[in-house]
Amino acid sequence: ARPVGERNTVKNPLAGLVICGMCGRRMNRRPYSNGYPDTLMCAVPECKNVSSHLSLVETKILEGLKEWLAEYKLKWRIEEKPVKRGVQPIELKQKALGKVKTEIETLNKQLNNTYDLLEQGVYTVEVFKQRSQELETRIEQAQKDMSVLESDLKTEEIREKSRTTIIPKVEKLIETYHALPTPQAKNDLLKDVLEKVEYTKKKGGRWHTSPDDFEIVMYPKFPRSNA
């Protein structure tokens, strides 16, 4: 019997990660005893998705991660090394956001006071209208400023998390993957950065001479903006 807490030995580095792009089922490793390379196949006999050598799917996933990493760095304008001196962008935007929120609170109090001053007869109706309209305009602008700052702050937080956590994980995977000792270790590292990978191959057969003629769509475990 297997000791309590011992993990099953994974022989497929892509176990639990790759799903069929046609029927949505998990794809399985198919081993061969005659020396033929392992293949990755859909377990549903009726599915038309064509299998491929497992090693080719591995290679394409790693190539896709390299391309994704370069595009991700460019999109978020992430530097290789952080700026260590001075105030960081997140701190600046947090302080600016705090000031705008305080300004909105102050303006709302001033607006409420105009109603009190009108009731007390200190303001005429004309003065009240002028003063309240001015304050409402300033409040509206401050709320727009707050919305922009909140969006900018979220972007900076994503960029910082990417730089300190996400990007190092992908870089580690790319650098060490082929040196990892077991399929289990490879599977653990892949699952650390990927939710799933969709696999689709429509052509196959004896006369099809392009074994890597398949498509993959990767779903990384990374934060995204709402934009």
Side-chain angles (χ1 to χ4, degrees):
R2 183 182 296 110
V4 176
E6 182 178 327
R7 302 173 63 187
N8 293 325
T9 301
V10 172
K11 296 182 179 180
N12 176 12
L14 305 181
L17 272 174
V18 184
I19 64 172
C20 176
M22 293 186 180
C23 72
R25 306 297 207 288
R26 295 287 178 185
M27 298 193 67
N28 298 329
R29 163 183 167 268
R30 181 181 180 183
Y32 294 86
S33 58
N34 60 358
Y36 188 78
D38 292 353
T39 60
L40 194 68
M41 61 176 289
C42 181
V44 180
E46 298 79 13
C47 185
K48 302 298 183 182
N49 211 356
V50 180
S51 64
S52 290
H53 294 324
L54 189 147
S55 61
L56 292 178
V57 182
E58 274 187 284
T59 297
K60 188 162 280 193
I61 288 174
L62 290 175
E63 290 174 351
L65 281 171
K66 289 178 184 177
E67 293 175 6
W68 179 90
L69 182 61
E71 292 173 0
Y72 193 82
K73 285 182 177 180
L74 181 63
K75 175 184 176 181
W76 293 104
R77 301 190 301 279
I78 296 171
E79 299 176 359
E80 293 298 327
K81 295 181 180 179
V83 178
K84 295 183 178 181
R85 296 180 180 178
V87 181
Q88 300 300 308
I90 288 180
E91 295 176 48
L92 291 172
K93 286 182 169 55
Q94 286 173 336
K95 289 179 180 179
L97 184 59
K99 289 181 179 179
V100 171
K101 288 181 176 179
T102 299
E103 180 186 358
I104 291 173
E105 291 178 3
T106 301
L107 290 171
N108 278 318
K109 289 178 181 179
Q110 292 175 352
L111 182 59
N112 289 333
N113 287 339
T114 61
Y115 288 92
D116 293 337
L117 293 171
L118 176 64
E119 291 177 0
Q120 295 169 14
V122 177
Y123 279 174
T124 63
V125 174
E126 290 75 14
V127 172
F128 165 76
K129 286 182 178 180
Q130 180 183 356
R131 180 61 175 156
S132 60
Q133 286 175 357
E134 290 174 354
L135 289 168
E136 286 170 356
T137 299
R138 291 175 62 187
I139 290 170
E140 183 179 356
Q141 183 58 52
Q143 288 173 337
K144 289 179 181 178
D145 294 342
M146 181 177 69
S147 179
V148 171
L149 283 167
E150 287 176 337
S151 178
D152 288 348
L153 178 59
K154 183 176 181 181
T155 297
E156 287 297 339
E157 289 171 343
I158 291 174
R159 183 180 289 115
E160 180 63 14
K161 184 175 181 180
S162 298
R163 185 186 62 75
T164 59
T165 305
I166 295 163
I167 288 176
K169 283 184 179 180
V170 181
E171 289 175 335
K172 177 184 176 183
L173 186 150
I174 292 170
E175 291 171 4
T176 66
Y177 187 82
H178 291 297
L180 293 172
T182 64
Q184 178 70 71
K186 293 178 179 180
N187 188 251
D188 289 342
L189 205 53
L190 284 168
K191 285 183 175 179
D192 201 28
V193 301
L194 289 170
E195 291 284 354
K196 62 180 180 178
V197 178
E198 286 183 2
Y199 166 95
T200 306
K201 185 175 182 180
K202 298 179 180 179
K203 296 180 181 180
R206 181 178 178 182
W207 306 111
H208 188 60
T209 57
S210 299
D212 62 346
D213 185 18
F214 56 84
E215 295 180 353
I216 61 169
V217 180
M218 300 186 303
Y219 295 82
K221 289 183 176 180
F222 306 141
R224 302 174 178 87
S225 67
N226 294 326

